[in-house]
Amino acid sequence: MKKIRVIFIFVVLLSLQFMNAYGVQRFPKPDFESGYLQPETLQPSARAGLLAIMDVSVLALALALVSWLVLKKRSRTGVFWTSVFSLAYFGFYRQGCVCSIGAIQNVTLALFDKSYVIPLAVLAFFILPLVFTLFFGRTFCAGVCPFGAMQDLVSFRPQKPDPRLNAVLGMMPYIYLGLAVLYAATGSDFIICRYDPFVGIFRFNASFGMLIFSGTLLVSGIFIARPYCRYLCPYGVLLNWASRFSWRHLTITPDKCIQCRLCEESCPYDAIDIPVVDLNPEGRSVTARKLILVSLLVPFFIVLGGWTGSRLHETLAGVNGKVRLAKILLEPERYRDQPEPFEVTAYKSSGKPLTVVYDEAAGVLRRFYTGGWLLGCFIGLVFGMILAGRLLTRYSTDYTPNKGACFSCARCVDYCPVEKNGTKEVKP
Amino acid sequence: MEETAGDPKLNRREFIVRSIRVTAFLGLGGLAVLVAEKSGSGETVWQLDPSKCIQCGRCATNCVLAHSAVRCTHVYAMCGYCDLCGGYFKPGTKTLNTAAENQLCPTNAIKRKFVEDPFFEYTIDEPLCIGCGKCVKGCGAFGNGSLQLQVRQNICVHCNQCSIARSCPAEAFSRVPAKKPYLLKQITLEGPKSGG
Ligand code: SF4
Ligand code: SF4
Ligand code: SF4
Ligand code: SF4
């Protein structure tokens, strides 16, 4: 009897291999006579919501503390120890999720996907650092962001990269931001989380590829201070913009700059604007010509970028699951000799009509077309603006931190010999 | 740059900067209101829908955790307590005993215990389970489907974007309210289906 059943079941297994015969009550629930008590199915719950409130409070407190340390106390040591705390708390204790950088995607998704409900804590992680930056500069980067803290700890021998290379690499965060917004808005992927170099370290496990990526980043971080911050971080773009218009900002000198040049080499991030004094100011006509050139170049780059982006929209959309499925279903020959892709198996068992799949994919493609244009225009605009920034000279007399690029780490502060009330006590 | 009150150029600059700052504030505020309007104060967590899952095996390999947070969950209320458990035994097993080579589970994480004739209780040893879904497939194919894969919320580290979700071929993953974090399929009292 048992043998027959085994054979029967074996046959059924073969025939059912790819059918979704899920959740069918084939065998009735037994009536136990021995007084057997059926165990509960354990459903342990997630971290209590209270802890989310704690995260946001810690974030706000840390932001306030660092801002005070930077602007009032002017204490590098204080900033350093806060950043160590943030690394321990947001990095290793909270394991890097959710972070302000990734929250860009949640906010974008919430704007574009009506069904997505964004947790308030995530929204706070996105908004709070930006608000603080509008007030006090990038104090978030100085001592709250665990990524920044991590890289800050390893920057032993910072070198100055070539300025042209610096400018080219400086484009990458904008591209990254644009792509992240595009992929989040189309509901395709959260690429910032996918290519998060540090989360693997925080959790003490990472895939091999990511391990190489984070390793490279950390090792290069010894010589190029904060490589992620400067050449990748998409949130840094937003903070950079906000910081340029901040209400207060860290100053290198507590009083008046005496042009002693002591701080010139102090910034590991190349974020100090050295004075450009107009001994020989360029003529009006030269400036006018440059301005005309810029006003022609910028629109040109915008259109060029947009056009390129729209050309690439199919490639970009390849990441999207719906598009991928439609592609597989459209070209069954390509998979003839291989085992059926899981996507097809899942599609078959879902019982969705083919037309729905194609319609959905076409919809996604249309959004990527628009998105490709916008992304391209954005990158073109940024490129044009960076070029314009290099063409046009801004004159200044003092050593000041570049408000956009400065992470407010307060290293340079210790190099300035000027005391608060204008006493010039030049250290040897 | 010094702030000289009398310098009109500086004042104009300061004025522009201030206006942009105020605009940025209003923008951020507006964004927050726009998004927060439909935001829930509660958190969300990732969960997979067992009725969409095809047990492809990616749950075991694609979690950010080396030992996946997805494990097999036994809904006892649906179980038939079969002697010949499709989730426990390899197809074609002749002698129904607990010998390791008979077991479908690669890590022997399912414990079989005699209850009363002819019923057996199956328990998942959760720390051993790797979430491969082999037993789930077997149980779904000729059992009641009481074995189901679930993200165990006490193990999951709650990634902002679940890395299994993006590779799940069945799009079975979604964000669910943290207050109701499991999507277990409960008992469906229909008779045996034809062919099943
Ligand atoms: S630039 Fe980005 S990664 Fe660096 S500290 Fe700022 S937010 Fe963090
Ligand atoms: S605070 Fe000073 S040293 Fe630090 S990033 Fe800003 S300019 Fe550079
Ligand atoms: S990845 Fe998706 S289909 Fe594969 S086992 Fe996990 S839930 Fe099931
Ligand atoms: S959210 Fe992260 S930890 Fe949880 S199941 Fe998904 S990948 Fe694994």
Side-chain angles (χ1 to χ4, degrees):
Chain A
M1 178 59 202
K2 248 177 198 166
K3 208 163 180 187
I4 296 174
R5 249 178 92 182
V6 171
I7 291 168
F8 169 71
I9 282 173
F10 194 68
V11 171
V12 170
L13 175 72
L14 284 181
S15 64
L16 280 180
Q17 198 117 53
F18 294 122
M19 252 165 85
N20 188 17
Y22 172 82
V24 183
Q25 191 78 18
R26 295 198 182 84
F27 308 104
K29 208 171 112 78
D31 295 317
F32 296 109
E33 284 153 11
S34 59
Y36 164 78
L37 275 183
Q38 185 174 282
E40 275 285 311
T41 300
L42 292 180
Q43 303 186 30
S45 54
R47 231 169 55 105
L50 206 64
L51 287 176
I53 300 174
M54 182 165 100
D55 288 348
V56 175
S57 320
V58 172
L59 174 73
L61 283 178
L63 279 169
L65 177 67
V66 176
S67 303
W68 176 75
L69 285 168
V70 165
L71 293 168
K72 275 271 174 296
K73 295 296 278 184
R74 304 171 56 78
S75 156
R76 168 69 199 151
T77 328
V79 172
F80 173 79
W81 286 112
T82 324
S83 77
V84 170
F85 164 79
S86 302
L87 178 62
Y89 183 83
F90 294 112
F92 289 100
Y93 170 59
R94 292 293 295 112
Q95 311 217 299
C97 255
V98 59
C99 73
S100 301
I101 310 171
I104 299 173
Q105 307 162 118
N106 302 63
V107 172
T108 312
L109 186 61
L111 282 175
F112 285 88
D113 180 351
K114 295 282 159 280
S115 67
Y116 173 61
V117 179
I118 183 172
L120 276 182
V122 177
L123 186 58
F125 264 78
F126 177 76
I127 297 273
L128 273 181
L130 282 171
V131 169
F132 268 83
T133 304
L134 276 175
F135 273 110
F136 309 117
R138 295 170 72 169
T139 50
F140 173 74
C141 298
V144 186
C145 176
F147 285 29
M150 185 98 196
Q151 300 170 84
D152 219 298
L153 284 182
V154 298
S155 61
F156 299 116
R157 299 240 173 310
Q159 314 285 327
K160 276 197 180 9
D162 177 79
R164 264 160 307 172
L165 182 69
N166 198 28
V168 173
L169 289 178
M171 280 290 296
M172 294 199 338
Y174 295 91
I175 300 175
Y176 199 2
L177 174 69
L179 282 173
V181 168
L182 175 65
Y183 281 130
T186 51
S188 311
D189 199 354
F190 277 16
I191 57 169
I192 300 177
C193 300
R194 184 174 197 159
Y195 301 111
D196 180 335
F198 297 111
V199 80
I201 301 176
F202 295 151
R203 292 172 180 164
F204 298 113
N205 74 51
S207 67
F208 184 67
M210 283 319 283
L211 209 62
I212 293 195
F213 182 32
S214 17
T216 320
L217 215 55
L218 279 183
V219 170
S220 62
I222 299 176
F223 307 104
I224 310 158
R226 294 201 188 217
Y228 184 86
C229 298
R230 288 203 279 170
Y231 307 127
L232 281 173
C233 181
Y235 195 57
V237 170
L238 304 181
L239 293 171
N240 181 315
W241 289 340
S243 182
R244 284 169 199 231
F245 305 105
S246 70
W247 174 61
R248 291 276 180 273
H249 193 280
L250 169 114
T251 54
I252 303 177
T253 172
D255 206 301
K256 281 204 178 85
C257 178
I258 53 169
Q259 272 92 36
C260 66
R261 303 183 55 188
L262 283 176
C263 64
E264 205 173 59
E265 300 291 321
S266 66
C267 179
Y269 315 113
D270 228 353
I272 295 179
D273 283 339
I274 53 178
V276 184
V277 190
D278 47 350
L279 289 177
N280 239 336
E282 57 181 30
R284 267 179 168 258
S285 60
V286 179
T287 318
R289 228 178 301 143
K290 279 186 180 172
L291 275 176
I292 292 173
L293 185 65
V294 164
S295 56
L296 288 177
L297 275 183
V298 172
F300 169 72
F301 282 126
I302 294 183
V303 175
L304 182 70
W307 181 79
T308 319
S310 68
R311 294 283 98 189
L312 289 174
H313 81 278
E314 270 193 49
T315 319
L316 291 170
V319 171
N320 187 284
K322 295 200 165 64
V323 175
R324 229 169 29 207
L325 175 64
K327 261 192 194 154
I328 295 177
L329 292 175
L330 271 175
E331 304 176 332
E333 321 83 47
R334 278 183 52 189
Y335 303 91
R336 180 131 310 151
D337 306 328
Q338 303 161 19
E340 186 179 55
F342 287 129
E343 281 74 7
V344 177
T345 317
Y347 161 71
K348 281 185 187 160
S349 76
S350 73
K352 237 191 214 172
L354 210 53
T355 48
V356 173
V357 177
Y358 292 154
D359 277 354
E360 281 178 352
V364 174
L365 270 181
R366 269 196 303 278
R367 291 166 77 185
F368 265 94
Y369 182 74
T370 324
W373 264 105
L374 292 175
L375 171 70
C377 290
F378 172 70
I379 294 173
L381 172 71
V382 170
F383 186 73
M385 295 308 276
I386 288 180
L387 213 64
R390 293 184 69 78
L391 271 177
L392 306 170
T393 331
R394 277 264 291 288
Y395 299 105
S396 67
T397 51
D398 294 342
Y399 285 86
T400 47
N402 180 306
K403 279 177 89 177
C406 168
F407 297 116
S408 291
C409 72
R411 278 191 181 83
C412 51
V413 167
D414 291 342
Y415 287 79
C416 185
V418 177
E419 299 257 307
K420 177 71 191 151
N421 308 313
T423 33
K424 291 163 202 166
E425 176 238 323
V426 181
K427 289 175 204 159
Chain B
M1 212 177 278
E2 287 173 49
E3 289 197 35
T4 341
D7 192 333
K9 216 173 166 186
L10 276 183
N11 278 342
R12 188 160 38 135
R13 215 183 122 72
E14 182 53 31
F15 175 73
I16 295 173
V17 167
R18 191 178 306 158
S19 336
I20 296 182
R21 180 162 63 238
V22 172
T23 319
F25 266 124
L26 294 180
L28 270 184
L31 180 76
V33 170
L34 196 71
V35 178
E37 213 184 13
K38 63 181 187 82
S39 107
S41 54
E43 283 187 274
T44 56
V45 292
W46 288 97
Q47 191 50 276
L48 70 95
D49 182 348
S51 61
K52 288 185 182 157
C53 171
I54 58 155
Q55 298 90 39
C56 68
R58 289 186 191 160
C59 269
T61 53
N62 285 27
C63 179
V64 295
L65 300 172
H67 185 181
S68 176
V70 173
R71 307 279 162 94
C72 179
T73 303
H74 196 183
V75 183
Y76 293 96
M78 284 177 74
C79 186
Y81 289 80
C82 324
D83 182 6
L84 178 71
C85 169
Y88 186 82
F89 291 109
K90 276 194 188 136
T93 301
K94 305 230 165 47
T95 40
L96 298 184
N97 61 31
T98 56
E101 69 268 17
N102 291 344
Q103 297 184 24
L104 202 52
C105 176
T107 62
N108 300 346
I110 309 179
K111 301 286 170 262
R112 169 178 155 103
K113 199 179 91 197
F114 176 74
V115 179
E116 64 184 57
D117 201 45
F119 301 129
F120 287 84
E121 180 198 88
Y122 298 92
T123 317
I124 312 291
D125 187 352
E126 202 169 276
L128 283 183
C129 171
I130 55 168
C132 68
K134 291 203 167 79
C135 60
V136 178
K137 195 172 201 118
C139 178
F142 32 72
N144 285 353
S146 61
L147 294 176
Q148 302 169 21
L149 286 179
Q150 286 285 278
V151 176
R152 302 306 282 174
Q153 303 296 352
N154 50 335
I155 303 169
C156 177
V157 293
H158 312 297
C159 311
N160 193 22
Q161 163 78 35
C162 174
S163 89
I164 311 172
R166 81 165 70 89
S167 55
C168 171
E171 299 192 337
F173 277 74
S174 61
R175 296 179 178 87
V176 301
K179 295 215 171 65
K180 207 182 160 295
Y182 289 88
L183 289 177
L184 287 166
K185 185 133 182 194
Q186 295 301 335
I187 195 156
T188 46
L189 273 179
E190 27 176 330
K193 277 200 176 165
S194 55

